[in-house]
């Protein structure tokens, strides 16, 4: 008798990817086989995203495709909080659950695709099932968020902040490193708020007491001897404390901080910190402590009420801040977002114009900063080996969202190798180097 098979579609952000990994690990432990196509699957799980309208549309399309191609579909993830909407379009779905509803998803699979216990099937590696390449992994430290940014509906889908005990996080990190992971990407909805909900509870790891707080987490992960990259860092004052760890090489000199805007009025309407001047001062202070630090950020243009003068202020902030990696989005009126009720919505034409101007402005900054890296010696991590050579990343580049380092002719390298290169050329996003 063949083992029951499950197909899996994972959409959305790295946090959702970690949710998918956890569900798949449990299913594999229970004896289900995971397959990569509809024809071989007895049932399909779709882990959805519902953050912006485009993501909702992609999720609904994916559910529809799975129903058409397979017929037996279980839906979970952020869009699952809108069950009525899903069932109105696809009444035949077997089950709908919300974000991080691991046990309910597994129970639904068991209900609709029963399995007989077989201890010989339960051969799952200690680090669990991972959907990333073997040399890097996302390490999720908490669920939910305590903020109520007016453009965001994440708390309504994922709830308030729920932090994992620090020993639980560190044991998982150890298992990942033991399995060959070279880079840990720390993710959550609000990484720098880690532990506030559990009052920075203390735990013991490797014979030492650690607090469930951002600084202790960074310091402990820094003992594992791999790259540690911090994502989704809200700019609280205590973030300053980990910059010396970056200067010491304990964690990567990389901060992913979504500033969102520079206008105090717009930031107040967004319910974000409204002190762009302080942010500029802090950025300079971070660079004084750790000159190599790279700062990634994201911004929203066309937020309701944004004036031309406020947009120009944002461009001035980019010039002054000289950020290294920048993403930008036009405001999207996500269903349920408080900002949708604000006065003076910006037209789509103006939004797109401002997005184009923003990206052109930042492109000049990015190109100049990348050119400054020509002639430097950098350690890189190989992500892929192709016919032309190796494709790698430096300490300053996160997978999927940042640039790459191309090493022509280095076909003898292996995925996951750390090597040193001399940077010979650069464009707005990527670098080219030679092995040394």
């Amino acid at each position: 008798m063949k083992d029951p098979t499950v197909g899996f579609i994972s959409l959305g952000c790295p946090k959702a990817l970690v949710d998918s990994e956890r569900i798949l690990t449990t299913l594999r432990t229970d004896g289900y086989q995971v397959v990569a196509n509809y024809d071989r699957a007895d049932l399909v799980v779709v882990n959805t995203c519902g953050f912006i309208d485009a993501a909702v549309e992609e999720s609904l399309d994916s559910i529809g495709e799975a129903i058409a191609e397979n017929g037996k579909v279980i839906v979970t993830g952020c869009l699952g909080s809108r069950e009525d909407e899903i069932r109105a379009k696809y009444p035949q779905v077997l089950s709908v659950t919300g974000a991080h509803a691991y046990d309910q998803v597994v129970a639904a699979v068991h209900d609709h695709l029963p399995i007989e216990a077989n201890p010989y099937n339960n051969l799952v590696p200690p680090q669990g099932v991972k959907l990333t390449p073997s040399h890097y992994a996302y390490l999720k430290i908490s669920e939910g968020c305590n903020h109520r940014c007016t453009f965001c509906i994440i708390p309504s889908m994922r709830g308030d902040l729920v932090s994992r005990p620090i020993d639980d996080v560190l044991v998982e990190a150890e298992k990942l490193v033991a399995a060959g992971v070279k880079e840990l990407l720390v993710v959550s909805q609000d990484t720098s708020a880690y532990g506030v909900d559990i009052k920075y509870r203390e735990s013991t790891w490797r014979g030492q007491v650690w607090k469930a707080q951002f600084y202790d987490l960074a310091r402990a992960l820094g003992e594992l001897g791999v790259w540690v990259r911090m994502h989704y860092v809200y700019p609280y004052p205590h973030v300053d404390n980990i910059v010396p760890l970056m200067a010491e090489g304990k964690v990567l000199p990389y901060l992913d901080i979504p500033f969102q805007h520079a206008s105090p009025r717009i930031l107040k309407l967004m319910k974000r910190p409204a002190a762009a001047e302080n942010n500029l001062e802090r950025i300079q202070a971070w660079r004084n402590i750790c000159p190599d630090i790279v700062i990634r950020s994201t911004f929203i243009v066309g937020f309701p009420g944004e004036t031309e003068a406020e947009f120009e202020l944002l461009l001035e902030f980019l010039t002054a801040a000289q950020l290294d990696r920048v993403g930008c989005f036009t405001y999207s009126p996500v269903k349920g977002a408080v900002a949708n009720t604000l006065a003076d919505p910006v037209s789509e034409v103006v939004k797109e114009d401002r997005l184009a101007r923003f990206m052109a402005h930042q492109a000049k900054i990015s190109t100049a900063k990348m050119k400054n890296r020509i002639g430097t010696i950098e350690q890189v991590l190989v992500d892929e080996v192709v016919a032309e050579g190796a494709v790698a990343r430096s300490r300053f580049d996160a997978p999927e969202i940042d640039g790459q380092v191309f090493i022509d002719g280095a076909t003898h390298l292996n995925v996951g190798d750390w090597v040193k290169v001399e940077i010979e050329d650069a464009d707005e996003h990527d670098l080219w180097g030679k092995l040394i």
Side-chain angles (χ1 to χ4, degrees), residues 120-136:
Y120 298 104
N121 285 338
N122 304 346
L123 302 177
V124 178
Q127 74 276 15
V129 174
K130 292 296 169 186
L131 299 177
T132 50
S134 60
H135 62 292
Y136 70 81

Side-chain angles (χ1 to χ4, degrees), residues 18 24 50 71 85 123 126 165-166 186 190 204 232 235 249 254 282 289 302 308 314 321 344 350 361 404 418 421 430:
V18 175
L24 285 169
E85 185 176 336
L123 302 177
I166 192 168
V186 178
D190 183 359
T204 300
Y232 310 108
Y254 180 102
R282 292 177 71 196
I289 296 169
E308 178 63 21
L314 176 55
D344 303 318
V350 173
H361 189 93
Q404 297 173 310
W418 272 317
V421 299
D430 301 315

Side-chain angles (χ1 to χ4, degrees), residues 383-406:
D383 280 338
E384 186 180 8
V385 179
V386 296
E388 296 82 4
V391 183
R393 287 179 294 108
S394 74
R395 298 176 300 158
F396 311 124
D397 303 296
E400 306 294 337
I401 56 173
D402 292 330
Q404 297 173 310
V405 181
F406 298 100

Side-chain angles (χ1 to χ4, degrees), residues 98-121:
H100 55 88
Y102 318 112
D103 294 340
Q104 295 96 310
V105 176
V106 172
V109 173
H110 277 273
D111 287 344
H112 296 284
L113 188 60
I115 187 172
E116 294 182 10
N118 183 346
Y120 298 104
N121 285 338

Side-chain angles (χ1 to χ4, degrees), residues 256-261 295-301 314 318 323-330 355 358-359 362 366 401-402 429:
D256 175 15
I257 298 185
F259 290 120
Q260 304 296 7
H261 213 281
I295 301 169
R296 152 167 278 283
S297 192
T298 51
F299 296 86
I300 297 173
V301 295
L314 176 55
L318 291 180
L323 301 176
D324 302 270
R325 302 293 193 190
V326 172
C328 185
F329 306 90
T330 59
L355 175 63
F358 179 104
M359 296 309 296
Q362 178 59 35
S366 298
I401 56 173
D402 292 330
H429 302 293

Side-chain angles (χ1 to χ4, degrees), residues 347-368:
S347 73
E348 291 301 320
V349 171
V350 173
K351 285 180 188 178
E352 292 299 329
D353 175 70
R354 288 177 181 172
L355 175 63
R357 290 161 60 196
F358 179 104
M359 296 309 296
H361 189 93
Q362 178 59 35
K364 296 176 183 177
I365 296 170
S366 298
T367 300

Side-chain angles (χ1 to χ4, degrees), residues 14-15 46 53 81 87 133 137 148 172 186 209 221 248 278 281 298 311 346 361 373 382 386 391 414 419:
K15 282 91 72 178
V46 182
D53 289 346
S81 63
R87 290 197 179 277
R148 295 296 183 266
E172 180 185 350
V186 178
V209 175
L221 291 173
E248 296 168 14
N278 289 348
E281 292 173 3
T298 51
F311 174 71
V346 178
H361 189 93
R373 291 168 66 179
V382 177
V386 296
V391 183
N414 298 307
V419 295

